[in-house]
Amino acid sequence: MLLAKVYVTLKKAILDPQGKAIAASLHALDYAEVSEVRMGKYLEVRLQGVSPSQAEHRVEEMCQRLLANQVIEDFRFEIIQEERGTPQ
Amino acid sequence: MLLAKVYVTLKKAILDPQGKAIAASLHALDYAEVSEVRMGKYLEVRLQGVSPSQAEHRVEEMCQRLLANQVIEDFRFEIIQEERGTPQ
Amino acid sequence: MKWGVVTFPGSNDDRDSLYCLDTVLAQHAVALWHKDPDLHGVDAIVLPGGYSYGDYLRCGALARFSPVMHSVIEFAQAGGPVLGMCNGFQILCEAGLLPGALVRNQSLLYVGDWVRVRVENTRTVFTTACQDKEILALPIKHGEGCYVADRPTLQSLEDNGQVVFRYANAAGEIDPAANPNGSLNNIAGITNRQANVVGLMPHPEHAVEALLGGEDGRKLFCSLLS
Amino acid sequence: MAPTVTLQLAEDHGLTADEYDHILQLLGHPPSFEELGVFSVMWSEHCSYKSSRRFLSQLPTTGPAILQGPGENAGIVDIGDGLAVVFKIESHNHPSFIEPYHGAATGVGGILRDVFTMGARPIASLNSLRFGAPDHPRTPYLVKGVVAGIGGYGNSVGVPTVGGEVSFDPGYNGNILVNAFTLGVVRTDRIFRARAAGAGNPVMYVGSRTGRDGIHGASLLASREFDARSEELRPAVQVGDPFTENLLIEACLELMQRDLIVAIQDMGAAGLTSSSVEMAGRGGTGFSLNLDTIPVREEGITPYELLLSESQERMLLVAKAGCEEDVRAIFARWDLPAVVVGHVTDDARFRAEWQGQEVVSIPVSALTDEAPAYERPAGPPVDLAIRQSLDLTSIPVPTDYNHIVLQLLRSPNLASKEWVYRQYDALVCGNTVVPSGSDAAVIRIKGTKTGIGLSVDCNSRYCLQDPYRGAVIAVAESARNLAVSGARAVALSDCLNFGNPEKPEVMWQFQQAIAGMRDACDALGLAVVSGNVSFYNETAGTAIPPTPTVAMVGILPDVARHVTQWFKQPGDVIILLGETLEELGASEYLSVIHGQVAGLPPSVDLAQEKRLQDLCIHAAQEQLLSSAHDVAEGGLAIALAEACTTGPGPGIGGHVTFAEPLCGSLRYDALLFGESQSRVVISLPAENVSRLQTLARAASVACTVLGEVGGTALDITGVIQLPVAQLQHEWRTALARQIGL
Ligand SMILES: Nc1ncnc2c1ncn2[C@@H]1O[C@H](COP(=O)(O)OP(=O)(O)O)[C@@H](O)[C@H]1O
Ligand SMILES: [Mg+2]
């Protein structure tokens, strides 16, 4: 089975209220070393019966059509082989 | 500058309506090869003035205390060196 | 009887809770500020609804670390009455004062409506004024009110009678169709072992005036007065 | 390096050659790049109202209770007890089409700031939504996104959404409408205005830091037609932060309890520039800003971007000299930055310096008074006569009316909007007496007996067929929605959504609508106290149906005497107030059942309308009524069906028999589904009937006994027999089914 790990992040210039609030809390917890937090999405998409190369192009398409909102988000993904039934 | 990439995922036992909904929409868009979608969080935490080994231990702590709720979530993270001003 | 209502940044129903307590129920109620660990000698604490810190990481996650919460946790552990409504319930879970967690509604939609809950435990400090199995009409308004816990936790909750409220239908039956958010076992509210800390997703503070739709919520506050 | 300014560059900024010449004259030299940016936004349609100013002045804006009409951030109406309500409606159409969630969310955030900037605590919001055809592929995505965005922001910021409207029409396929309304309450002695004063007083910036959000939102997004190029404008979309807005509200209201500031204004469209220019303009002063001091979110932001950024959750205020520290302290308590970014001057110029050099120096009047104002050519569409003609004989009189009632209840325009408003927090603030679900929302004002009635309305099909009549009806219906709820309409805020004003037929529609609103307001004794004009709602050259949305505000002296629209008590007598004419033009029935948009909208006799509304209010005050529901889209049959089904719980039936003169005189479909105005279905205990009839006679309002409340079916003798359970199920579930939500 193939596992596509999809990372969806806010475009650089777009305000990230969540990241901002999390960074503030981390500072309040004395993690002064934290300079910035950006919040994104991580999706695990499991695929069956397609070749890695097909998957490449299908997942790219899924991201563009549904998984990422390209008005405000960027995405990237990687595809790995997964031994049956051991999704991590 | 150090970049900690933190992945927070729902525990297997916890059902994931968002993942389900996304899988359903993907099927509706004829991505029949999709067998499962799990929705998680992806955080980019930028750190300054700490060594990679300190960072390891600090980020572990941040995850346990704040970034993940271990009642329902698992987390993992990796820490990479980032050239100034080119966050990806 | 002196009540304290905590205001976190992003709290919304804090003013409504104060109005409910001092104006409607004629109680002595004071606002507690998230940055101030001093509880000002209150006898009971309300953690109100809203979106503390925007609920930006997880609902209630960021609030639990605010200075006042350290005192609230001590207060609760010493047996002080603490009522968490909606976001307050989420904060109590994040703070570990109550087991389990509240996640996204199964429908993935925010739900604002009036529901019925059945009182399952009349021995908590906030339900002594209720009849056993009494049905209360209360409003809900949340996007993340689906109560979850792992099997053992859920089992012990049930075994110890820590489930205080369940979503029920008009006939008072625990009907999946009456469950607005997918909570396990139709759980709407729970208590801790000592029964001094109660958290629920519905908003009793918004059900204390007939003009505004109902008065069943009074029972929770009056329990502490009787 | 800033580009050198040319006519070409000016035109890329949406300015015309003539406008550019005018700028050269006003300045006496070519503008700097920054100055060009400032002119382009201040002279944009969105900020300057250049096509609409002349006509807006026809609207009545004053009245005994009116404390503030148009010209400030929001209108203000005195409600007694030393209190006033502050309200405004505003559009966020184009951003919501590009990014429905954040577009709608930031629309809510923006209107909230317009209200609390005047010192009022926001306590209720409404929203008016227009989407394309139910079966248009983009419609479900837009509906879900917009509704989630309104809820996501409004719920989080802690202001209840208590009412609104949603409708669907192919005319909005490429250009949806999202109009957001907020009402706040303020002590009359604590009203703040945005008039800068006192040369030397510090100008302070509070709230979120400035990023590159929405550069040119005003000039490019809100003031241009929509086309493929809009894709390139995507970066112009802004993300809102309701959490910060929540803190901003609390901090500003705390600030306003003290005597520390002279003026305050939100940074909305055209951000720092417009708020500075407007505050200086109203106060007849100048502004000098040091752009190096603006709190920024990212590095390398240019002065041009600083001036034009539309980053959300920001306010600009003029503090009293010496009070800076106190202001800072209050915002620090809420973890918000408050920074001195300039000062008020007495030279009536808008100046901005950056890194030691002056990048902007423009006479304020050049940006306000001197802004262009056009009287654009106007004329009716060529096909108007054809569109307005309707030959009823060509419309077959149906046989199975049960079927038609069900079909109408399933039409997304008539179906329950519960799917929408269940996603809103209607209760926070603890004032909501009647939330979404009845003709008008009713909220109570704490510490008084007073209630406020709220309703937002516009039937754009009526407006398309006859913009004058459509606008009259929009005003009349929203006031009627209040009257049936027991509230007397006092004032309104309007959101005028139209196509490209450079097209004569659009300008004609606009002028007709203004005239209609004016006449209706005069007849009903209403004032327009705030509003917003949204032009260029077009896609690929097609204008939306004219949509002059009316948000009405009214008062109940005793909130306990409010009335809701559903039947309550078996045995109550059902009465129809008002007269039914043979009017099927532009009706929902004609469009849903016969697939036609044709004919004139129903006629309105405004004097009759006024008497009807006074009667309803009077009857409510005497507590004669169990329910009152105005007859609107779908006509009498649907009004009766709604009275049976829309209440909490399983609903309750009604038995109705039509006697002379109602039946016989007109077609049955006109009787059942015609949308004649000035009609209300009421139910009341038998013992109150004679009193009501006396009042009706005195008011010369037709008063026809229709039947009796009771049973489990809607039963209209001889024509309709439907179980309430079935009606309710169809009505409740239709929207999600029809749209695929
Ligand atoms: N977008 C919305 N947000 C909140 N409430 C809404 C919305 N759309 C409709 N409603 C509510 O649904 C009910 C029916 O709306 P509508 O048919 O427009 O009423 P009316 O025809 O009397 O103006 C009203 O109570 C209205 O407030
Ligand atoms: Mg109505």
Side-chain angles (χ1 to χ4, degrees):
Chain A
M1 177 141 71
L2 292 175
L3 170 62
K5 300 179 170 187
V6 180
Y7 311 90
V8 180
T9 50
L10 277 173
K11 288 187 195 290
K12 185 86 187 60
I14 300 280
L15 171 71
D16 177 8
Q18 309 195 44
K20 210 174 91 195
I22 295 164
S25 305
L26 286 171
H27 291 149
L29 291 174
D30 293 326
Y31 296 103
E33 66 267 40
V34 172
S35 63
E36 189 196 16
V37 176
R38 300 283 289 179
M39 176 85 160
K41 300 192 199 98
Y42 167 63
L43 293 97
E44 293 179 342
V45 182
R46 298 202 158 65
L47 306 164
Q48 245 154 357
V50 282
S51 71
S53 66
Q54 290 171 308
E56 273 297 327
H57 139 112
R58 296 282 281 179
V59 173
E60 170 80 30
E61 204 180 72
M62 294 179 206
C63 291
Q64 296 192 358
R65 290 176 67 186
L66 187 75
L67 302 182
N69 172 359
Q70 291 182 82
V71 178
I72 52 172
E73 295 172 328
D74 298 321
F75 66 86
R76 77 198 144 75
F77 62 89
E78 64 215 301
I79 293 176
I80 62 165
Q81 270 293 351
E82 186 178 53
E83 313 75 69
R84 286 226 150 290
T86 62
Q88 39 92 281
Chain B
M1 179 139 68
L2 292 176
L3 169 63
K5 300 178 170 186
V6 179
Y7 310 91
V8 180
T9 50
L10 278 175
K11 287 189 190 296
K12 259 247 140 283
I14 306 288
L15 31 66
D16 173 14
Q18 274 176 290
K20 273 216 197 64
I22 294 169
S25 320
L26 286 172
H27 291 148
L29 292 171
D30 291 325
Y31 297 102
E33 68 266 40
V34 172
S35 62
E36 189 198 16
V37 176
R38 300 283 291 178
M39 178 81 171
K41 298 188 190 117
Y42 167 62
L43 293 97
E44 292 179 341
V45 182
R46 297 202 159 67
L47 306 165
Q48 244 155 357
V50 281
S51 71
S53 66
Q54 291 170 305
E56 274 297 328
H57 145 100
R58 296 284 281 179
V59 173
E60 171 78 30
E61 200 182 76
M62 294 180 205
C63 291
Q64 302 212 0
R65 289 178 68 189
L66 181 69
L67 300 182
N69 173 352
Q70 293 177 79
V71 175
I72 48 171
E73 296 170 327
D74 299 317
F75 67 86
R76 73 199 149 76
F77 63 88
E78 65 213 290
I79 292 175
I80 63 166
Q81 268 293 351
E82 185 178 54
E83 314 75 68
R84 289 224 145 285
T86 60
Q88 39 99 274
Chain C
M1 181 87 202
K2 183 178 177 185
W3 298 74
V5 176
V6 178
T7 295
F8 299 100
S11 292
N12 292 337
D13 307 82
D14 52 333
R15 279 190 316 280
D16 303 339
S17 302
L18 280 168
Y19 184 85
C20 153
L21 287 164
D22 59 28
T23 308
V24 180
L25 300 175
Q27 294 297 298
H28 180 203
V30 297
L32 302 176
W33 183 241
H34 67 106
K35 288 178 184 173
D36 177 6
D38 184 349
L39 297 182
H40 301 275
V42 298
D43 309 301
I45 293 176
V46 168
L47 301 184
Y51 291 65
S52 53
Y53 297 85
D55 281 348
Y56 278 148
L57 178 60
R58 292 179 311 278
C59 298
L62 305 180
R64 101 175 204 242
F65 292 104
S66 55
V68 73
M69 277 307 289
H70 299 300
S71 317
V72 171
I73 291 170
E74 285 171 15
F75 179 86
Q77 283 164 347
V82 178
L83 177 64
M85 304 178 284
C86 199
N87 195 228
F89 184 17
Q90 294 162 335
I91 294 168
L92 289 172
C93 290
E94 283 282 342
L97 286 173
L98 291 174
L102 293 143
V103 299
R104 191 87 177 266
N105 296 350
Q106 289 299 299
S107 65
L108 296 179
L109 296 178
Y110 181 99
V111 52
D113 207 344
W114 283 73
V115 297
R116 291 186 193 78
V117 297
R118 193 174 78 187
V119 181
E120 306 286 89
N121 175 340
T122 56
R123 294 175 318 282
T124 80
V125 294
F126 294 103
T127 51
T128 51
C130 304
Q131 307 300 318
D132 188 36
K133 300 283 182 274
E134 179 174 359
I135 303 297
L136 305 179
L138 300 173
I140 55 169
K141 45 189 192 86
H142 59 251
E144 310 203 346
C146 174
Y147 182 80
V148 296
D150 57 31
R151 284 279 143 225
T153 308
L154 196 62
Q155 198 53 57
S156 73
L157 278 175
E158 296 289 0
D159 296 346
N160 305 322
Q162 285 173 253
V163 175
V164 184
F165 304 105
R166 285 184 221 273
Y167 301 107
N169 61 21
E173 301 148 351
I174 304 311
D175 172 356
N179 184 339
N181 51 32
S183 293
L184 296 173
N185 302 9
N186 278 42
I187 288 173
I190 59 174
T191 185
N192 60 346
R193 285 292 194 100
Q194 300 68 28
N196 65 308
V197 177
V198 170
L200 74 166
M201 286 314 295
H203 284 264
E205 85 280 21
H206 282 292
V208 291
E209 293 179 85
L211 178 68
L212 303 189
E215 300 187 304
D216 290 359
R218 286 170 176 259
K219 290 217 165 69
L220 278 80
F221 305 99
C222 295
S223 293
L224 217 51
L225 309 180
S226 52
Chain D
M1 194 54 240
T4 44
V5 175
T6 63
L7 172 60
Q8 180 53 50
L9 188 62
E11 286 175 345
D12 294 345
H13 277 68
L15 291 160
T16 68
D18 292 351
E19 288 169 347
Y20 185 61
D21 284 343
H22 192 186
I23 291 172
L24 294 178
Q25 289 167 21
L26 287 166
L27 290 180
H29 59 78
S32 70
F33 182 53
E34 291 76 13
E35 287 171 334
L36 176 66
V38 168
F39 271 104
S40 73
V41 291
M42 292 312 296
W43 283 15
S44 69
E45 186 66 59
H46 187 80
C47 294
S48 74
Y49 288 80
K50 55 189 167 191
S51 306
S52 58
R53 281 220 295 278
R54 308 218 146 132
F55 303 97
L56 292 176
S57 60
Q58 302 173 10
L59 296 170
T61 60
T62 56
I66 309 306
L67 301 182
Q68 176 66 58
E72 267 286 346
N73 284 294
I76 308 184
V77 172
D78 193 323
I79 60 168
D81 302 297
L83 298 173
V85 287
V86 178
F87 58 90
K88 184 170 193 285
I89 188 169
E90 197 152 69
S91 65
H92 224 217
N93 303 339
H94 290 159
S96 301
F97 185 77
I98 297 175
E99 213 307 290
Y101 184 95
H102 294 291
T106 50
V108 172
I111 193 62
L112 284 165
R113 286 190 293 281
D114 276 331
V115 167
F116 73 77
T117 194
M118 305 203 69
R121 174 175 289 281
I123 57 168
S125 291
L126 308 171
N127 59 103
S128 171
L129 311 177
R130 294 289 183 288
F131 298 101
D135 57 4
H136 186 278
R138 215 173 140 77
T139 297
Y141 163 76
L142 290 169
V143 173
K144 287 179 196 161
V146 165
V147 171
I150 290 170
Y153 202 102
N155 300 347
S156 174
V157 81
V159 177
T161 303
V162 298
E165 56 169 357
V166 190
S167 65
F168 301 83
D169 184 299
Y172 302 104
N173 279 353
N175 192 125
I176 63 172
L177 301 184
V178 174
N179 294 178
F181 166 98
T182 290
L183 174 137
V185 62
V186 65
R187 272 174 48 190
T188 48
D189 61 356
R190 278 258 157 247
I191 293 168
F192 283 80
R193 292 192 168 79
R195 295 206 182 90
N201 277 336
V203 174
M204 296 183 75
Y205 170 118
V206 303
S208 293
R209 302 171 160 277
T210 297
R212 291 190 167 88
D213 312 88
I215 304 290
H216 274 312
S219 56
L220 297 195
L221 267 186
S223 304
R224 273 204 192 169
E225 277 186 42
F226 229 36
D227 53 31
R229 260 199 84 257
S230 308
E231 298 299 300
E232 302 162 30
L233 302 178
R234 276 181 164 180
V237 168
Q238 317 142 36
V239 168
D241 178 359
F243 171 54
T244 298
E245 179 109 329
N246 181 302
L247 303 182
L248 200 53
I249 293 175
E250 296 307 327
C252 288
L253 293 180
E254 193 174 316
L255 173 75
M256 290 162 166
Q257 296 313 309
R258 313 251 313 266
D259 206 21
L260 303 173
I261 63 173
V262 176
I264 179 166
Q265 152 120 19
D266 62 296
M267 290 192 235
L272 187 59
T273 293
S274 66
S275 46
S276 304
V277 170
E278 286 172 18
M279 276 204 281
R282 292 196 194 96
T285 64
F287 251 46
S288 169
L289 301 178
N290 176 355
L291 298 177
D292 304 301
T293 58
I294 303 293
V296 292
R297 200 166 76 220
E298 54 192 290
E299 285 141 31
I301 302 190
T302 67
Y304 178 92
E305 291 168 326
L306 288 170
L307 284 161
L308 301 186
S309 164
E310 295 188 355
S311 291
Q312 299 289 298
E313 293 90 25
R314 303 180 303 161
M315 312 280 287
L316 201 63
L317 59 86
V318 175
K320 296 188 169 166
C323 297
E324 298 87 337
E325 270 323 306
D326 298 343
V327 173
R328 225 179 258 120
I330 289 171
F331 283 88
R333 186 172 124 80
W334 293 97
D335 304 309
L336 293 169
V339 186
V340 174
V341 295
H343 59 275
V344 177
T345 65
D346 52 16
D347 65 0
R349 296 181 80 82
F350 175 47
R351 301 173 183 275
E353 76 170 47
W354 185 66
Q355 297 188 351
Q357 38 156 297
E358 191 165 70
V359 289
V360 173
S361 174
I362 306 173
V364 171
S365 60
L367 298 167
T368 55
D369 317 346
E370 290 295 329
Y374 298 123
E375 177 128 24
R376 301 192 185 274
V382 284
D383 64 343
L384 185 66
I386 308 149
R387 218 193 279 158
Q388 290 182 338
S389 66
L390 169 63
D391 171 16
L392 271 189
T393 60
S394 71
I395 309 291
V397 180
T399 48
D400 179 353
Y401 288 102
N402 285 332
H403 180 65
I404 292 180
V405 167
L406 292 173
Q407 260 180 292
L408 284 172
L409 282 179
R410 277 189 220 114
S411 129
N413 290 342
L414 296 186
S416 168
K417 307 304 187 298
E418 199 176 298
W419 185 91
V420 172
Y421 58 76
R422 260 172 72 97
Q423 296 183 54
Y424 301 148
D425 179 349
L427 301 185
V428 66
C429 293
N431 299 316
T432 310
V433 176
V434 180
S436 291
S438 195
D439 283 316
V442 176
I443 59 171
R444 61 104 176 259
I445 300 295
K446 288 199 182 90
T448 75
K449 283 175 70 188
T450 308
I452 301 296
L454 300 163
S455 177
V456 60
D457 294 279
C458 178
N459 181 320
S460 52
R461 193 187 296 130
Y462 291 174
C463 295
L464 182 67
Q465 294 306 96
D466 179 344
Y468 175 87
R469 232 183 237 190
V472 167
I473 291 174
V475 173
E477 189 194 343
S478 52
R480 195 185 314 135
N481 279 322
L482 262 51
V484 295
S485 309
R488 176 174 301 283
V490 178
L492 65 93
S493 184
D494 64 324
C495 196
L496 306 174
N497 307 273
F498 288 80
N500 179 348
E502 295 155 44
K503 296 181 180 170
E505 64 272 21
V506 169
M507 209 52 218
W508 176 82
Q509 291 172 330
F510 182 76
Q511 294 173 15
Q512 290 288 304
I514 294 272
M517 287 180 56
R518 177 200 58 210
D519 293 352
C521 286
D522 287 341
L524 299 176
L526 302 167
V528 177
V529 296
S530 61
N532 160 254
V533 178
S534 172
F535 278 129
Y536 298 96
N537 291 289
E538 304 219 349
T539 306
T542 340
I544 58 161
T547 316
T549 306
V550 170
M552 191 68 69
V553 174
I555 298 177
L556 295 91
D558 178 357
V559 67
R561 303 189 178 195
H562 67 277
V563 180
T564 48
Q565 73 180 33
W566 47 88
F567 293 151
K568 297 177 182 64
Q569 195 48 46
D572 278 355
V573 177
I574 304 171
I575 286 177
L576 173 66
L577 299 176
E579 292 183 38
T580 306
L581 311 174
E582 194 160 86
E583 296 178 305
L584 284 173
S587 64
E588 190 74 14
Y589 163 77
L590 213 53
S591 133
V592 172
I593 307 298
H594 300 284
Q596 284 195 39
V597 175
L600 282 166
S603 57
V604 195
D605 172 343
L606 284 166
Q608 182 64 24
E609 177 72 41
K610 178 94 171 75
R611 290 197 299 274
L612 171 87
Q613 293 188 19
D614 291 344
L615 172 63
C616 293
I617 295 163
H618 190 148
Q621 269 163 12
E622 283 193 24
Q623 294 180 288
L624 301 175
L625 306 177
S626 301
S627 74
H629 184 26
D630 83 309
V631 179
E633 290 85 353
L636 182 54
I638 294 304
L640 288 164
E642 287 173 342
C644 292
T645 54
T646 57
I652 176 168
H655 185 101
V656 166
T657 311
F658 293 130
E660 298 288 343
L662 261 188
C663 66
S665 60
L666 40 89
R667 289 169 60 120
Y668 241 96
D669 54 355
L671 168 57
L672 290 169
F673 309 115
E675 298 176 4
S676 288
Q677 294 297 297
S678 314
R679 293 185 301 163
V680 172
V681 169
I682 60 174
S683 70
L684 68 173
E687 62 267 28
N688 295 348
V689 169
S690 60
R691 173 61 181 157
L692 183 93
Q693 284 167 328
T694 312
L695 292 174
R697 221 173 293 112
S700 55
V701 170
C703 176
T704 315
V705 172
L706 293 184
E708 186 175 301
V709 175
T712 57
L714 171 62
D715 177 346
I716 301 181
T717 310
V719 276
I720 291 167
Q721 210 105 35
L722 288 161
V724 171
Q726 182 187 6
L727 290 170
Q728 199 173 47
H729 175 78
E730 290 291 345
W731 176 75
R732 281 228 169 111
T733 54
L735 190 68
R737 262 187 290 118
Q738 306 279 317
I739 312 293
L741 297 168

